Structure formats: C-alpha cells, structure tokens
Amino acid sequence: MMKSPNFIWTQKFQNSATVILCVLLIGYTSFMLINTYMSQTRLYKTRLAGLKNDVEKRATAASYFFSERKNDLRNLSHSREVSAFFENRALGMSMQYGLRSSLISIYNKFRQIVEEKTIRGDKIYYRLLFIESNGELLIDSLSNNISNEQSKNCAHLLTPESTDAVIIAEGSKMAVSIPFFLKSKYSGQIFAWIAPQSIYDHLIREETSRNQFVGIASGVDNIYFPEEMRTDVLYNGLSDIRKVEVGDHKLFSVTDTHGKSVDMIAMRVEVKDTPFSIISVIPSSEVFGRISPWQLLMAMAALSIVVLAGTFIVWRANTQKLVFRTRLDEASKRENEVKQKNLELLEEISDREQAEEALRETERKLARSQKMEALGLLAGGVAHDLNNVLSGIVSYPELLLMDIPEESPLRKPILTIKESGQRAADIVKDLLTLARRGVMNTEVLNLNDMVSEYLKSPEHIKIKSYHSYVHIETNLDRRLLNIKGSPIHIEKTIMNLVSNAAEAQPDGGKVLVSTKNKYVDTPVKGYEDIEEGDFVVLRVEDKGTGIAPDDIERIFEPFYTKKVMGRSGTGLGMAVVWGTVQDHEGYINVESLEGKGTIFELYFPVTRKEIAKETSSIPTEGYMGNGETVLVVDDIREQREIASSVLNKLGYSVTTVSSGEEAIEYMKGNSIDLIVLDMIMDPGVNGYETYKEIIKTHPNQKAIIASGFSETDDVKKAQKLGVGKYIKKPYTFEKIGMAVKDELEK
C-alpha cells in the first residue's frame, strides 16, 4: 500500500524530532553526570574533613587533660610536704628523726590526690611513686609500707634531664613525671600512673557511632582500644591501622565475622605535647556513603542509557496509544465523578445515621427524665398523705412523754412508737426527694466534712456490722471547694452509695470514697451530659459484681432492684441519689463492668461562699409562749388537734378552723397574734389565697406555713406577701415552737 506524501513528511518530521530530542537528552545527561561526579568529589573531601575535625576534637580534649595532669604534678612538687622532706634530708635528719614523718605526710598527700582527682566519678590516677635521685623507691601510693626494708630500684623512671613535668608512655600505659630540684640540684622524681580506661571513657569515646573504633596510640605498635571494641574486624585491620601516619588517613579492607569484605578508613591525629596520638577507625560507608563517586558515575551512566532507550520506546508507544489514553482518561474522569458522588452519598447517609442516633439518645434521656418525673409526682402525692398520717405517730408521743414520769414503764414503748414514726418519716423524706420537692433548706457545705461525719455515724456503723469483710478507704482533696446543698440529702446520698458498694462485694473487698475539684471546659458525654463549669466531684468506687448493661439504664428508678426487697432497704436508695443530684443542679456519671466493679461520680456545682458557724440546740424554755393567741388552719382534724396540743403545751392560746374560708370569716370579727396555715386544703382555697384575703382586713398579719409537701411556688408567693417561716410536717416541739417564737418576735 502506497503511503501519501503527507504521511511521509510527517514520518520524517517525527524522526528528525526524535534525533534532536535524543541529542538534547544525551547532552543534558552528560552534564548531570559530570556535575554529580564533581559534587560527590567535593562531598567526599568535606566528609573527610569532618572526620578529621572529629578526631582533632578528641585529641584536643586529651591534650587539655594531659596538660591538667602536668599542673597536678607541678603543684605536688611545690607542695610543702615534698619540700619539707628534701629540706630535712639536707639538714642531715635520719629516717628515725624527722624524715619518716615527712614521708608519711607525702604518702597521705598522694592518697588524697588519688581519691580527689576524678573525672565524672572515675579516678584519674591509680598509682603515685616518690623516687629518690639514686632510683630508690621511697613511697608507693598502692602500698602502706614506706620503710627502706622492701624498697626497690626505679632508676629507669628517672628523668633528671627534664626541667618540667612530662607525659610518658610505657607500652599501653600512661604516666606523668616531674623531677624535683633543691637549690638547682636534682634530688628526686614524682611519678604518677594514669588510668587509661577513664581517659578513654570520658574524653575519647564520647559520641562515637556503633561501628566506630577509637583508640589512643604511643608510637607505631602500641595502640590501646578498650575491651568492648576488640573485635575480629579490628584485629584483621590492625596491621593497616599501624601504618597510618600522624595527620594522615588510610583506606583499607577487612573481613568481618560473616566473611564479607568491609571497606574501612583510619585516621590518626597527634595529641599535642604528648607521645600519644588518637586513632579513629570507621567503615567508609558511614563517612562517604555506600557508593564511591566513581561507582556513582558508572551507575548514572548506565541509568542514562536506560533512560534514553526507554525514552525512545515510550515516545513510539505514546504516538500509537494517544487516542487510547484520551478515551481512558475520559472513562477515568467519569469513574471519578461517580466515586465522588458515591462518597458524598455515603457521607450524607452517615451524617443522617449519626443525627438519628443522637435523636434516639436524646429521646431515651427525655423518656427517662419524664419517667422519673412521673414517678416523682406519684411519690410526692403519696408522701403528702403519709405525712398527714404520720403526724400523730411522731407528735403525740412527744406530748405523752412530757406528762409521763421518768420511771414509768410506758416510756419505753412510747419511745419505740416515736422512733418507728421517725423512721417512717425518713422514708417520706426519700419519697419527697424522689419527687424533687425535698430540698428545702440549703446551706454551704464541704463534702469532705460530710463524708467524715457519715463514716462516724450510727448508720455507717450499722452498715459495717452487716459487711465487716468490706473495708472503706478515703482519698479526700484537702483543698476541696464548698458546695451549697442540703446536709440531710447529701448524707443520705453518701450512705446509699457506700451501702450499695458494700453489698456489691459479698466476698469482701474495698470501697474507695474520694473527692476532688474539677473544671469541665467542654461538655462531657456520659450517663448524663455534663455541661461546662466548676464542680466538686464525689466518687464512690468498688470492685464488686458490677451492673449489667441492660440494668444500668434503670438503676435510678424507684423500687427497681436486684436485691431482696425489705432486706437491703426500701428500694428507693438510688432514686434518692438521682433526685438529690437533680435538686442540687448537678450531674451523675456511672461506669460499670460486670465482674469488674462500678464507679459513681456525682458532680455538684461549686460555691465561693464560706461555711456558717454551727448553732447549738435550744432548750424548751427558749421557745415557750406567754399566752399569745394562735389560729391553726388545717383541713385535717388530726393535724389541727396535734398542732393545738403542742402549742397549748408551749403556753399559747390556740383556736382551730378546718378551712381557708372559715379562717377568713373568723378573722373578720377577731384579732389573732399569729396564724399557722396549712398550704394545701382540699376542697376550698389554699393557704396562699387564705392569707391574701386576711391581709385585706388585717395588714401585716403574722403567719407561718406548714405542709406535708416541700416548698412550692405558692409558698414563695405567700412569703412575698408577708408570711414568715415554712415548716414541714410532721410537727415536733422544737420545729413549730421555734417558728412561732421567731415570727412573734419580729
């Protein structure tokens, strides 16, 4: 098939372009090869200079060290102890008369120098000698014997020709020596052996790499390397190392323990003013890299050939596959668009699932809150009715006890009735707490004090008697901040948590009660979402049976328990904890694992107020009346009778009516010193509405409010109109007596 002129021209153009491109690529590659080779050569010299600087630094450190040792011996030779010995000998003293004591002084001086001259805790000198001019050894710091009986000749160590301290090398040993002249006459020599290992450890070997060998040499053959560096690699290259001249380096090869050839480089640098030099031996790969400049040049050349050949092949292939790649790019682009849309769809689905899960969690918490609120309302109604019933059981025994002699056999059963009624009243308090209507009187508290007081209380002692195998430990923050709350409810909360923790460990164990200050700077997700703020945290931890995941959502419900009802409590313990924390505007967090234990953390808001001083109890005489008139308004007959009996006993003149309407009618034609108003009276007007009508005809009428419920909005509105204190039924002498007395004295 004949090719068209246009095709032939196009083919020639392509061939020419290919040749030009190849020539340019070859030129550029050659330039890069030469430039790389020159750069590697410069780098080779730079790294070699760096190695030399490293060895010179070690040599300089050693030189300074030896210079200090010369100064040590100069100071020693000029010391009073040495001078005294030669002066005494010149005066003709014998060993028995004067010289021996001088030698003892010199010996003690030697021992002092050996002990005090150290480098980073290691001794510099291990032996000092004092030699007479005839070579006789007078003192050896290693020996306690300074007599002439066992002296030996050390003439080979004398250097009478020297005028100053010199560094001496004997094989691998190092020493410093100084002659002593008395009136320009050579009189003796001080010779000190230096511990080579300490010099090596602290001056020469510092900052060496794992494969670097650094030693100190004297002459050609005497080279000292530490024991840990004496490997086969070092021994195999020892002959080459000895050939290295001072100030020069040498490249050589050795065989390692695996039979492989390793290129090494050795460099020797003189230690000035000493017979020593520092030798560093290191694999050349750690200095220059694993490839030499020449090897790199050859590798680059081979790579360039491959690149040129590949460029030509790729260019030919690209010409033929251009259309295919274009179509492939379009298909890939469409595929990426589909993937992006899928990712966006998946992200949208994930966001929606998270939002739905968050909504379900919110609905669960709302349902739990509504459930607890409904149960609380039920408990509050029951508590109100029980309070009215319990008033007689709690109040009448007090009245009876006032009239019965101390020796009467009736006192004990009446006291039992009173205590039983009080325990029943405590259960009513729990129900009111559950109804979130129980926190009436709050004060500034410190949780540390509350925990300590509870642990000394009869209630805790009773719990310990039931669980003697469980130990209670505390970890209370000494700098704990104060909170504002109800002491009764807080103590009940602590008691319930400790009791539950003890019961969760039937085989014995430990309950840890701790407190701490905590600032929550970002909301915390937990059993409840804890908002930002300053809190005091009460933590009760046990290692007991734990709580099952299915049960943990219901632990705060009233009467929901895994224990036997009536044996371990009323079933209201955890409900009281929940109600107390909610009433104190706090939060609860619970962590539990079956078989591992449970942690309760209660967060109470911090107050900056100080704790008020304690007030002592007031005797009955302190709240007795003086015949003042009191009107008792209550729709329950028993309540009217109880209040009337108590107030009559306290010295008041009492009138009672059974409804708010009767009270309003009575006050139209009478004047009363004080009114005791029941807040809830059904049917008819309540206490607030009754008082509002009475003050229309009797402005500033004194009154107090009594109720089986806790403080409500109507109570607060009545107090704004002028009503005084609020007291909770059942009545006690001190409670109603103090309230009436305080209001009358205003």
Side-chain angles (χ1 to χ4, degrees), residues 477-491:
D477 189 343
R478 294 182 179 179
R479 295 176 292 181
L480 197 70
L481 299 173
N482 294 331
I483 65 171
K484 191 174 182 182
S486 166
I488 296 174
H489 294 85
I490 295 294
E491 183 175 354

Side-chain angles (χ1 to χ4, degrees), residues 326-442:
T326 302
R327 293 176 179 174
L328 186 62
D329 290 342
E330 291 177 354
S332 178
K333 184 178 179 180
R334 292 194 188 100
E335 182 182 3
N336 290 335
E337 291 175 353
V338 172
K339 287 182 179 179
Q340 183 63 31
K341 289 181 179 179
N342 288 339
L343 288 174
E344 292 174 357
L345 182 60
L346 289 173
E347 186 176 354
E348 183 178 350
I349 292 172
S350 176
D351 292 342
R352 185 172 297 177
E353 289 177 348
Q354 291 178 3
E356 290 175 353
E357 179 62 29
L359 179 60
R360 285 193 293 270
E361 179 65 22
T362 302
E363 289 173 347
R364 281 197 296 269
K365 291 182 178 180
L366 179 60
R368 184 172 65 200
S369 177
Q370 290 173 340
K371 183 178 182 180
M372 294 297 290
E373 185 175 352
L375 290 170
L377 290 173
L378 174 61
V382 173
H384 176 259
D385 293 337
L386 284 176
N387 257 334
N388 289 328
V389 174
L390 288 172
S391 292
I393 300 175
V394 174
S395 302
Y396 275 123
E398 281 195 291
L399 292 170
L400 292 172
L401 289 170
M402 293 181 70
D403 297 330
I404 295 177
E406 289 290 334
E407 64 276 5
S408 173
L410 296 175
R411 289 190 68 86
K412 186 173 181 181
I414 293 174
L415 282 170
T416 303
I417 294 171
K418 179 185 175 185
E419 291 171 358
S420 299
Q422 192 59 52
R423 284 196 295 271
D426 290 339
I427 295 175
V428 171
K429 289 179 182 178
D430 289 346
L431 290 171
L432 288 173
T433 302
L434 175 60
R436 299 190 61 191
R437 299 173 182 174
V439 178
M440 175 182 63
N441 298 319
T442 61

Side-chain angles (χ1 to χ4, degrees), residues 12 43 63 78 125 197 301 311 385 500 572 574 645 718:
K12 288 182 178 180
L43 183 60
S63 176
H78 295 151
Y125 302 107
Q197 186 66 34
T311 301
D385 293 337
N500 281 1
L572 294 173
M574 295 311 296
S645 299

Side-chain angles (χ1 to χ4, degrees), residues 466-538:
Y466 292 155
H467 309 284
S468 58
Y469 42 77
V470 176
H471 301 286
I472 311 296
E473 294 184 5
T474 59
N475 182 17
L476 308 180
D477 189 343
R478 294 182 179 179
R479 295 176 292 181
L480 197 70
L481 299 173
N482 294 331
I483 65 171
K484 191 174 182 182
S486 166
I488 296 174
H489 294 85
I490 295 294
E491 183 175 354
K492 197 68 175 287
T493 295
I494 297 171
M495 181 187 72
N496 289 333
L497 291 177
V498 172
S499 176
N500 281 1
E503 291 180 7
Q505 302 176 92
D507 298 327
K510 179 180 72 174
V511 177
L512 177 61
V513 182
S514 59
T515 58
K516 65 178 180 179
N517 299 314
K518 185 171 183 179
Y519 173 66
V520 179
D521 54 358
T522 55
V524 177
K525 297 288 185 181
Y527 189 86
E528 288 190 307
D529 295 341
I530 302 171
E531 298 298 327
E532 179 181 358
D534 282 310
F535 296 95
V536 170
V537 181
L538 171 67

Side-chain angles (χ1 to χ4, degrees), residues 23-312:
V23 170
L24 292 174
L25 188 58
I26 290 171
Y28 177 73
T29 303
S30 300
F31 169 76
M32 291 299 295
L33 286 172
I34 295 170
N35 186 59
T36 301
Y37 177 75
M38 297 299 293
S39 298
Q40 285 296 314
T41 302
R42 288 193 298 270
L43 183 60
Y44 179 95
K45 293 179 180 179
T46 301
R47 289 180 174 175
L48 191 62
L51 177 61
K52 186 175 182 181
N53 288 338
D54 176 70
V55 182
E56 286 178 345
K57 181 180 71 173
R58 301 175 196 274
T60 300
S63 176
Y64 179 78
F65 173 82
F66 284 119
S67 176
E68 288 295 307
R69 304 291 72 75
K70 290 179 182 180
N71 288 335
D72 290 345
L73 260 65
R74 290 188 187 105
N75 294 335
L76 184 57
S77 68
H78 295 151
S79 68
R80 179 60 192 160
E81 290 85 352
V82 175
S83 299
F85 170 78
F86 287 109
E87 289 171 359
N88 290 339
R89 192 180 64 176
L91 293 173
M93 289 186 182
S94 64
M95 186 63 69
Q96 289 77 16
Y97 300 100
L99 290 185
R100 181 174 178 81
S101 63
S102 296
L103 289 176
I104 291 173
S105 298
I106 296 172
Y107 172 79
N108 291 335
K109 186 71 173 179
F110 281 11
R111 294 301 302 170
Q112 179 184 357
I113 290 174
V114 169
E115 294 299 327
E116 292 182 354
K117 293 297 181 179
T118 60
I119 178 169
R120 299 178 190 172
D122 291 336
K123 293 179 180 180
I124 295 176
Y125 302 107
Y126 71 90
R127 189 179 186 186
L128 272 76
L129 305 178
F130 186 42
I131 307 169
E132 202 169 359
S133 59
N134 60 2
E136 180 185 351
L137 178 62
L138 297 177
I139 295 175
D140 185 347
S141 65
L142 292 181
S143 172
N144 291 327
N145 185 9
I146 59 172
S147 67
N148 293 328
E149 296 176 0
Q150 297 180 0
S151 62
K152 60 180 180 179
N153 193 285
C154 298
H156 65 287
L157 299 178
L158 300 178
T159 58
E161 68 280 1
S162 302
T163 59
D164 197 5
V166 294
I167 303 299
I168 298 173
E170 275 198 9
S172 61
K173 297 181 178 179
M174 306 174 187
V176 56
S177 177
I178 188 168
F180 186 85
F181 293 90
L182 182 62
K183 297 181 180 180
S184 302
K185 180 182 178 181
Y186 177 69
S187 301
Q189 196 88 15
I190 299 175
F191 202 87
W193 294 104
I194 299 173
Q197 186 66 34
S198 63
I199 301 173
Y200 186 84
D201 287 342
H202 301 295
L203 296 176
I204 300 173
R205 191 173 58 177
E206 285 188 336
E207 300 180 3
T208 57
S209 65
R210 186 169 59 88
N211 296 319
Q212 186 177 7
F213 308 95
V214 180
I216 185 166
S218 61
V220 176
D221 296 328
N222 295 320
I223 304 176
Y224 172 77
F225 288 98
E227 189 68 31
E228 62 268 20
M229 286 191 177
R230 298 172 190 175
T231 63
D232 293 341
V233 173
L234 189 64
Y235 279 120
N236 292 339
L238 204 55
S239 60
D240 291 300
I241 295 171
R242 290 192 177 105
K243 296 177 183 178
V244 180
E245 299 291 335
V246 174
D248 200 2
H249 70 279
K250 179 179 177 63
L251 291 169
F252 59 94
S253 297
V254 296
T255 303
D256 64 10
T257 55
H258 302 291
K260 295 182 180 180
S261 178
V262 181
D263 292 333
M264 307 291 287
I265 180 170
M267 179 169 287
R268 182 187 291 230
V269 173
E270 176 188 13
V271 179
K272 292 183 179 180
D273 300 325
T274 72
F276 300 109
S277 58
I278 303 298
I279 295 179
S280 177
V281 183
I282 190 171
S284 61
S285 60
E286 293 195 13
V287 180
F288 309 120
R290 297 188 178 276
I291 302 176
S292 66
W294 176 252
Q295 290 173 328
L296 183 62
L297 180 64
M298 296 300 295
M300 290 290 292
L303 181 62
S304 299
I305 294 172
V306 172
V307 170
L308 289 173
T311 301
F312 179 76

